[in-house]
Amino acid sequence: MVFELPPEMGDFWGLTARLLSSWMLLYPELHYRFRFFPFSRYFRKEPEILADAPYRLEPDRALPFLVLIKDAHRFPVTVRRIAVQGVRGGQRIEKTFEVEEHVETPIWHRSLLVQVPPEFRGEEMDFDVIVTIEQSGRTKTIHNDNLPGLSHRPLTVFLAEESQPALEGWFAGDLHYHTDYTSDQVEFGAPLEATVEASRAMGLNFVAATDHSYDLDDREDDCLARDADLSKWTKSRKEIRRLNETMEGLFTVLAGEEVTCSNAEGRNVHLLVLGDERFHDGSGDGAERWLQTDSEYSIVDLLDRKSANAIAIAAHPCDPAPILEKRLILRGRWEIEDWMNDVTGFQILNGLDDAAFREGLRRWSAELLKGRRVFIYAGNDAHGNFNRFRQVKLPMVTLHEKNQHQRLGWARTFVWLGRSAFSESSVLEALRQGRAVITTGPMAELVVENERGVVYRSGDVVEGRDCTARCRIRSSKETGFLTAGRLMGGGERSEVVLREFRLKGGEYSCDQWWSVSDGLQYIRLEVETSNNLCAFTNPVWFPGPRIQQTMPD
């Protein structure tokens, strides 16, 4: 979900830089055109209209559909009705909502709930969202979106008959997500209220609102002008607090920011800062000023500047910067030297189990073997995008779309709260302590108990001589049968497989006995399923004298 600002706003060169950088950012917009060369094949004298829905639905929940209209203040419309039609084979679900509302605001949205009968559960279903509008006396029907050149095909939703794999005391969320406070001449995200509704419907317990630093400091009426009063930032914090008070104990939004800062080579990278009441400038890759690509802070500066209790997570550290972004806005990635900085951890899983994720695992393992206690986290970097990612392919010429890419809630971070009350502060504390598991489907838990019966979990340092490591793994029909599990141990020079599981079922548990001696610094657990989904725990550490296996299975 992405789009633009009126062409009269901002100088020509600043907008040119932003547009050219979007060539690789791939977020579509309809209305921006160069002031002195107003060519665009996909420009339309109507607002952007699109529908969205969670990619999956938990059992016993109604399915929320988001209908969003952007830029109706420039091209007013009247929404007559919205119809939702679900089709699977010869079966149908149909519901019509009479709206009859004139829309002439910059952004308008409506969430619509559709009940799903039990007989439709357990499989995917296609939903066609048909929006009937009237503009200048003409009636038009729109199927799913009005973005030129796209398929307008139905939204596909998996209607789950069982909840996603989870274990008692664990809560799941998305740690990298952009709301409509990320809004400029290139892109925008979804409203927070609609995001919360979609998140709960798909089984999440929390979401981190990590909007861009170079958007949060803008004037609300001019994205190229900095607001010294930080009105957008302040407004976002107030809305997050209001939602959290409303949803107390049920769901929480983590107040965050994705800050642009410079790496060891002077290139722009991103750092997620969570739980900080202080705003941090970061405009290096915002393209708001022509040829101005210097960030206000380096990674080191920002880590020194943030509040003591704030969490700092390297955002998608191994994702490569495309060539145009490297040249035009000096984008880079986290280099080896940058990994040595004192961050809380690394968001190595960014929506896809891809080459960047696997490189992130290797780099994280190398840091662990150096004796560092750093953690891994997962998010999706979705800009709205509950179901489908609509994108720019060639600026001013073509758009395209993708499924299964940067969708809210696909890659998740579980946090262990145990008996702690569920809240924004308790989730942040669990993240800070590394009591977290990352997953694209299955759930894995690693617990160590010493000879006195004291229990330790991911992120903890064990005290004791004789230890039992307990592995617990859970999957489902939706996420696939468990095919492999590995209990990994890190020594002074390398990681080794301490125990390997070959699994064929949906749930597995085992114990492993240990006694203290020279050997390993930490243990961690990783699993895979038949659907090519995976989960990784953060480590449990052993101080001083280390451990080695002394008893076979």
Side-chain angles (χ1 to χ4, degrees), residues 240-272:
I240 289 171
R241 284 195 294 270
R242 177 183 62 80
L243 283 170
N244 286 346
E245 289 171 1
T246 302
M247 301 297 297
E248 186 176 2
L250 299 174
F251 189 91
T252 193
V253 180
L254 308 182
E257 180 186 358
E258 184 174 18
V259 188
T260 299
C261 49
S262 56
N263 68 4
E265 296 184 347
R267 291 190 168 274
N268 291 311
V269 295
H270 292 168
L271 185 73
L272 304 180

Side-chain angles (χ1 to χ4, degrees), residues 54-233:
Y55 76 91
R56 74 176 299 276
L57 179 68
E58 280 281 279
D60 302 320
R61 289 197 178 273
L63 179 56
F65 289 89
L66 169 66
V67 176
L68 192 148
I69 299 178
K70 180 75 161 59
D71 289 343
H73 64 302
R74 300 181 63 192
F75 307 102
V77 296
T78 298
V79 182
R80 295 300 184 191
R81 71 188 62 84
I82 301 170
V84 177
Q85 299 177 354
V87 180
R88 187 177 69 199
Q91 298 178 305
R92 300 176 68 87
I93 297 175
E94 295 184 87
K95 187 168 184 179
T96 299
F97 302 85
E98 299 295 337
V99 180
E100 297 297 337
E101 184 174 345
H102 187 67
V103 182
E104 51 183 353
T105 55
I107 189 164
W108 175 95
H109 78 278
R110 180 70 60 86
S111 289
L112 310 167
L113 293 177
V114 174
Q115 298 294 332
V116 178
E119 60 267 26
F120 292 94
R121 294 287 182 167
E123 295 183 30
E124 290 183 338
M125 190 169 190
D126 291 333
F127 289 90
D128 196 16
V129 182
I130 305 165
V131 183
T132 302
I133 64 168
E134 184 177 307
Q135 184 182 32
S136 302
R138 298 180 59 185
T139 299
K140 182 176 182 179
T141 57
I142 293 160
H143 291 254
N144 305 302
D145 65 65
N146 68 340
L147 305 181
L150 300 189
S151 66
H152 317 303
R153 66 179 182 270
L155 304 170
T156 301
V157 181
F158 181 80
L159 306 174
E161 59 185 350
E162 58 179 320
S163 295
Q164 282 195 320
L167 294 169
E168 185 179 358
W170 291 88
F171 296 80
D174 188 332
L175 284 187
H176 192 164
Y177 177 80
H178 293 267
T179 77
D180 57 352
Y181 289 100
T182 291
S183 180
D184 47 48
Q185 67 268 49
V186 173
E187 59 187 349
F188 70 90
L192 261 173
E193 285 189 352
T195 299
V196 169
E197 192 163 27
S199 297
R200 295 190 68 203
M202 68 176 64
L204 298 183
N205 306 111
F206 62 90
V207 65
T210 51
D211 293 297
H212 289 296
S213 52
Y214 53 72
D215 289 316
L216 287 168
D217 67 352
D218 292 342
R219 280 173 38 186
E220 292 193 68
D221 62 342
D222 185 351
C223 71
L224 296 179
R226 191 182 191 279
D227 179 7
D229 295 328
L230 295 175
S231 299
K232 276 182 72 174
W233 161 264

